[in-house]
């Protein structure tokens, strides 16, 4: 298993795999090879005991909201290309039929994802898709530029959807802001979908301590709705976890303010 901030990709994938009813991601359970599954389960259970036991709810809700936002864009632009940064083990390239996908993450994560995707495709678990894997550290301006250049070349004038799920808060503030707006420099960007934290709450405070114990960097960058509107424009919608619970579960079952990681989803259109 990868270590450092990449560990979080294993954690959130397990969260999706626990809630196939809500995440609607049938591939989540296959991403982790059999030899690593018990280690990932133990990691998740330790996280649940120490930080909070509802990561499966929060991650599956955000996956569902993102899936809806991607599906809507594909309906309007069937030739769309997806750029997904901090891709981790997310399954969107195989859940939807984008004409091309660019998946970006840190080098160890890209190695793990591309190798496992090839295995799963060979086994017939994943459908065939055209995916370009790009290793890049998004806290580095030159590497962000490479992502823009590569995606622009691959998209070749087709509409682009840009997704940054579950990681911009791990970047230093200036890099966080630059990563949120990275898609703006790609021609024909139609939609940006970003998940972000507005401020610390008791669960994030516990997560910070757990990260320290696991050797995961614990610095965080926060963004307000006004920041995001300033960065992405005013054609933007925001969903809190409570909003997503109301949308997909019919009511708020667990209060975000004190009991959940307060990860919000912003969807901005051109
Ligand atoms: C919580 S995981 C989310 C993964 C995926 N988006 C999902 O929701 O399942 C955070 C991901 O961001 C990636 N990441 C963190 N810092 C990064 C950086 N500086 N550059 C590129 N990727 C980064 C990690 O490697 C990890 O895969």
């Amino acid at each position: 298993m990868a270590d450092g901030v990449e560990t979080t990709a294993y954690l959130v994938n397990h969260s999706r795999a626990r809630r196939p009813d809500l995440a609607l991601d049938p591939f989540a359970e296959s991403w982790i090879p059999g030899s690593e599954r018990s280690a990932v389960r133990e990691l998740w259970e330790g996280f649940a005991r120490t930080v909070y036991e509802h990561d499966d709810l929060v991650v599956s809700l955000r996956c569902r909201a993102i899936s809806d936002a991607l599906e809507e864009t594909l309906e309007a632009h069937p030739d769309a290309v997806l750029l997904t940064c901090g891709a981790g083990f997310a399954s969107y390239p195989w859940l939807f039929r984008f004409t091309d996908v660019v998946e970006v993450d840190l080098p160890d994560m890209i190695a793990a994802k591309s190798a496992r995707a090839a295995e799963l495709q060979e086994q017939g678990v994943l459908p065939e898709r055209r995916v370009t894997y790009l290793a890049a550290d998004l806290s580095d301006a030159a590497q962000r530029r490479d992502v823009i250049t590569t995606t622009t070349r691959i998209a070749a004038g087709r509409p682009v959807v840009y997704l940054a799920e579950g990681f911009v808060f791990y970047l230093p503030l200036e890099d966080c802001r630059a990563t949120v707006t990275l898609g703006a420099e790609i021609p024909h960007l139609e939609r940006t979908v970003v998940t972000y934290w507005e401020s610390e709450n008791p669960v994030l405070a516990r997560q910070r301590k757990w990260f320290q114990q696991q050797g995961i960097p614990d610095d965080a960058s926060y963004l307000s709705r006004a920041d995001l509107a300033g960065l992405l424009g005013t054609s933007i919608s925001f969903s809190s976890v409570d909003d997503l619970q109301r949308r997909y579960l019919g009511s708020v079952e667990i209060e975000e303010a004190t009991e959940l990681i307060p990860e919000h989803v912003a969807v901005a259109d051109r």
Side-chain angles (χ1 to χ4, degrees):
M1 202 199 305
D3 56 6
V5 72
E6 295 95 323
T7 311
T8 60
Y10 290 76
L11 206 60
V12 297
N13 182 69
H14 191 68
S15 288
R16 276 189 296 272
R18 285 173 56 92
R19 293 297 304 265
D21 58 318
L22 188 56
L24 301 187
D25 177 0
F27 305 123
E29 63 170 1
S30 302
W31 280 113
I32 310 302
S35 58
E36 294 184 342
R37 274 191 201 147
S38 62
V40 173
R41 194 178 324 106
E42 275 168 33
L43 180 82
W44 195 94
E45 284 166 3
F47 179 80
R49 277 193 304 276
T50 321
V51 180
Y52 80 132
E53 56 187 343
H54 307 298
D55 200 58
D56 45 4
L57 175 71
V58 172
V59 171
S60 297
L61 283 169
R62 87 180 187 211
C63 176
R64 190 68 175 275
I66 289 166
S67 290
D68 283 353
L70 296 182
E71 199 166 24
E72 204 177 81
T73 315
L74 262 181
E75 272 166 23
H77 305 280
D79 58 340
V81 171
L82 173 66
L83 165 63
T84 165
C85 283
F89 287 116
S91 303
Y92 306 113
W94 298 274
L95 291 172
F96 302 102
R97 284 192 164 276
F98 288 95
T99 49
D100 262 292
V101 179
V102 181
E103 289 223 300
V104 178
D105 208 300
L106 293 167
D108 286 353
M109 192 59 226
I110 282 295
K113 175 85 176 272
S114 56
R116 188 63 179 153
E119 271 172 18
L120 293 176
Q121 231 154 262
E122 207 163 291
Q123 293 165 13
V125 175
L126 290 179
E128 288 286 330
R129 291 289 190 272
R130 224 158 56 192
V131 181
T132 301
Y133 298 96
L134 189 58
D137 182 344
L138 294 157
S139 64
D140 181 285
Q143 296 185 48
R144 286 196 297 273
R145 171 64 39 205
D146 281 349
V147 172
I148 294 166
T149 309
T150 302
T151 308
T152 300
R153 180 177 48 73
I154 288 171
R158 283 171 290 172
V160 173
V161 191
Y162 170 46
L163 169 63
E165 177 188 16
F167 81 102
V168 298
F169 29 72
Y170 297 135
L171 305 175
L173 187 58
E174 279 319 301
D175 299 305
C176 167
R177 294 169 64 87
T179 298
V180 166
T181 56
L182 182 150
E185 295 188 55
I186 300 168
H188 309 291
L189 177 77
E190 292 297 332
R191 177 166 268 189
T192 297
V193 184
V194 178
T195 71
Y196 65 100
W197 298 338
E198 288 184 11
S199 56
E200 191 168 274
N201 78 348
V203 184
L204 282 179
R206 290 199 295 277
Q207 176 171 268
R208 186 188 282 278
K209 282 199 186 136
W210 188 81
F211 276 3
Q212 287 163 3
Q213 287 159 7
Q214 304 290 322
I216 301 171
D218 66 312
D219 281 342
S221 292
Y222 302 100
L223 295 169
S224 66
R225 290 184 177 199
D227 289 332
L228 282 152
L231 292 168
L232 295 174
T234 49
S235 180
I236 188 165
S237 68
F238 301 100
S239 303
S240 67
V241 189
D242 286 351
D243 293 333
L244 297 179
Q245 290 189 78
R246 277 187 285 270
R247 189 182 309 161
Y248 295 110
L249 303 172
S251 63
V252 174
E253 295 185 355
I254 300 166
E255 290 288 336
E256 169 190 330
T258 51
E259 294 186 63
L260 300 177
I261 285 189
E263 189 160 340
H264 294 189
V265 181
V267 179
D269 287 323
R270 188 158 63 97

